[in-house]
Amino acid sequence: MAKYIIISGSPRAGGNSDAIAEFAVRELNESGAETEVFRVRDLDVSPCIGCDRCKQTGTCIFRDDASVLIEKLKTADGVILAAPVYYTSLPGTVKVLTDRFYVNYNPWQGIAQAPKDRKFGVVFTYGGTPDEVAEKAVDVAAYAFKDLGFGNHRSVLCGMDIEKTSFANNSDYKRKVKQLTDWMIKTGTANTYTQENIRLQFPSSNPLIKKLGRGNHNGELIYNASGVLFNAKFSELWVNLTSHYTAHEQWVAVLLNGTFISRFMVQPGNSKLCLLRGLDPATAKEVTIIRDTQLMIGETLTLHGLELDGELLPVRERKLKIEFIGDSITSGEGAIGSAAEQDWAGAFFSTLNPYTWKLAEKLDAELRVFSQSGFGVTCTWDGNDFGALPAFYENERIFMRDKNDFSEWQPDAVVINLGTNDVSGNAAPDKFQAAVLDFLRLVRRCNPSAHIVWATGMLGKPFVDEIAAAVTAFGDKNCSVLDLPEVTPETIGARGHPGALNHDQAAEALCEHLRDIR
């Protein structure tokens, strides 16, 4: 029979913590589990004095109720802590207790031998305390219980007005605590992870969180379509973001089951945002969270974590992988907004409207985008050679020297759409042709098996003869040229760029062209 320990950490009797503990006991007992309740206010606990005698003998110099509880925790299948957050962290009575867990940690030998994946549930109640303070208190508690072998944790935060019996009358908090007890008794951890406050670290240690985009490490979203994809059952979803920028704001888009749900501007600094709520927790949903603007030089956007109140499930793998290399057309400039819009602003960039995303949808493909407005094969739109995009292709990001790991993600096809800015930058045709050939060789070296398509058109057909000659000289049977439909007054978008309708046409042409790799 599974054994669970319930700890009520409030110094006050008969309050929310006691009510939560009693509710958890009933739920666990009804499942057939055995429970034991400890009320910290009733325990005789001496504070740790930092003598380090436990590091020599393996036992604490104090023999009191904390020693008894620690021994019981070593053999429990799981533990739930219910406590208030009065001011900045754990209540003092609980902190005195968790300090005593130090007996089980040896800084030279590591955590004492114990199962590392047992489950720890924490339920915090608070009134005027900010949510971020309660979240930090969760981290403190989780760290302490981890040293006793409870490495798989989940939290429920009950931010309520200071009413002495709030939990007893709150059906939403009861539902969340019941979900916590259901998770506690669910066996196996292969497809379940800490659902509250998941930390995203890329390459992700959690196989159920799929990273999207080049250079997506530690949650940093660099290029269009960078983000995360996951499948889960939940009712509410939050994200933690950090954004730094001055002139050009950043946007993020959210899709549910492959369909656009929302788009929002990220404010500078740290943000915690609720993306979805009120959903059926019994129904699986595929969620995509992506950067919806191109890389703006000098800015950063980082997705630190997400919080959801459910269960992660395996993600469906796409049939193909496609990389797109290009300029403002590929970056989605003008793909959202009317033809009257002429401001160069993040609001008029889009990840979902360009041919890149549309083609990926048609071919059931995972995509990566490496593009920058104003850049070309040899120069920028105004003739500066610092904007030669091929010079940065082997790097994770433009203007940085950190190398991209191409072995980590190999595409089935690479679509290149460059040359428009070389024309306006007055590039010499012979120099342009030589640069195209060199770039094709570089792309092939980095992607040995991919079909390479050099796409022209949409905003004129720049250097079409030179591109064709370079592809012929390249002599690779898996390399081709495709002319895309030109923009018209009916299909133009914002800032004189192709609109969504023109991108639809381009995606259809590419889909037909790439039919053999499907």
Side-chain angles (χ1 to χ4, degrees), residues 166-242:
S166 293
F167 180 79
N169 300 317
N170 194 305
S171 59
D172 184 46
Y173 290 141
K174 285 183 177 180
R175 175 182 61 81
K176 290 183 177 181
V177 175
K178 184 179 187 311
Q179 289 176 341
L180 179 69
T181 58
D182 289 345
W183 168 78
M184 186 71 65
I185 62 178
K186 183 174 181 178
T187 59
T189 59
N191 287 336
T192 58
Y193 291 79
T194 302
Q195 305 304 323
E196 297 283 344
N197 210 18
I198 292 175
R199 301 293 182 185
L200 302 181
Q201 296 179 347
F202 299 114
S204 176
S205 60
N206 186 332
L208 302 182
I209 300 288
K210 186 176 183 61
K211 74 165 188 174
L212 305 173
R214 175 191 281 212
N216 190 347
H217 303 301
N218 299 318
E220 187 174 1
L221 310 183
I222 301 174
Y223 299 102
N224 303 58
S226 296
V228 293
L229 170 69
F230 60 92
N231 192 30
K233 295 179 179 179
F234 64 92
S235 65
E236 190 166 307
L237 172 65
W238 292 72
V239 293
N240 298 295
L241 294 160
T242 298

Side-chain angles (χ1 to χ4, degrees), residues 268-280:
N270 300 322
S271 302
K272 181 177 179 181
L273 302 168
C274 184
L275 302 186
L276 297 163
R277 69 184 309 174
L279 306 184
D280 179 5

Side-chain angles (χ1 to χ4, degrees), residues 85-86 126-131 160-162:
V85 177
Y86 287 139
Y126 52 97
T129 299
D131 288 342
M160 55 182 71
D161 294 331
I162 305 301

Side-chain angles (χ1 to χ4, degrees), residues 353-484:
N353 282 352
Y355 71 92
T356 52
W357 189 272
K358 295 173 182 290
L359 177 64
E361 285 186 321
K362 290 177 180 291
L363 296 180
D364 190 28
E366 179 184 340
L367 79 159
R368 288 193 177 183
V369 177
F370 182 76
S371 64
Q372 186 67 33
S373 290
F375 279 40
V377 182
T378 63
C379 63
T380 60
W381 65 275
D382 56 354
N384 289 314
D385 58 8
F386 75 81
L389 196 62
F392 306 106
Y393 181 68
E394 291 183 276
N395 302 340
E396 282 190 346
R397 73 183 76 200
I398 296 170
F399 298 136
M400 300 293 284
R401 296 182 178 180
D402 45 343
K403 293 299 183 182
N404 184 56
D405 181 7
F406 287 92
S407 65
E408 175 260 340
W409 194 88
Q410 278 288 297
D412 298 286
V414 176
V415 178
I416 306 171
N417 188 349
L418 287 170
T420 302
N421 291 308
D422 296 87
V423 172
S424 60
N426 295 315
D430 57 341
K431 180 181 177 182
F432 177 83
Q433 182 175 321
V436 169
L437 179 56
D438 288 343
F439 190 36
L440 288 172
R441 289 168 176 162
L442 173 60
V443 171
R444 172 57 73 222
R445 186 171 73 248
C446 296
N447 307 283
S449 302
H451 185 97
I452 303 173
V453 179
W454 198 294
T456 64
M458 299 183 75
L459 283 180
K461 299 188 182 299
F463 291 123
V464 289
D465 293 336
E466 287 76 13
I467 291 172
V471 169
T472 300
F474 184 43
D476 189 319
K477 65 179 181 180
N478 285 325
C479 181
S480 56
V481 179
L482 176 66
D483 289 334
L484 299 178

Side-chain angles (χ1 to χ4, degrees), residues 82-94:
V85 177
Y86 287 139
Y87 184 44
T88 58
S89 188
L90 304 175
T93 49
V94 175

Side-chain angles (χ1 to χ4, degrees), residues 224 292 328-333 335-336 349-360 458 498-500 503-504 506-507:
N224 303 58
D292 203 29
S328 56
I329 299 173
T330 302
S331 291
E333 182 175 346
I336 187 171
F349 283 81
S350 171
T351 289
L352 303 181
N353 282 352
Y355 71 92
T356 52
W357 189 272
K358 295 173 182 290
L359 177 64
M458 299 183 75
H503 281 284
D504 280 334

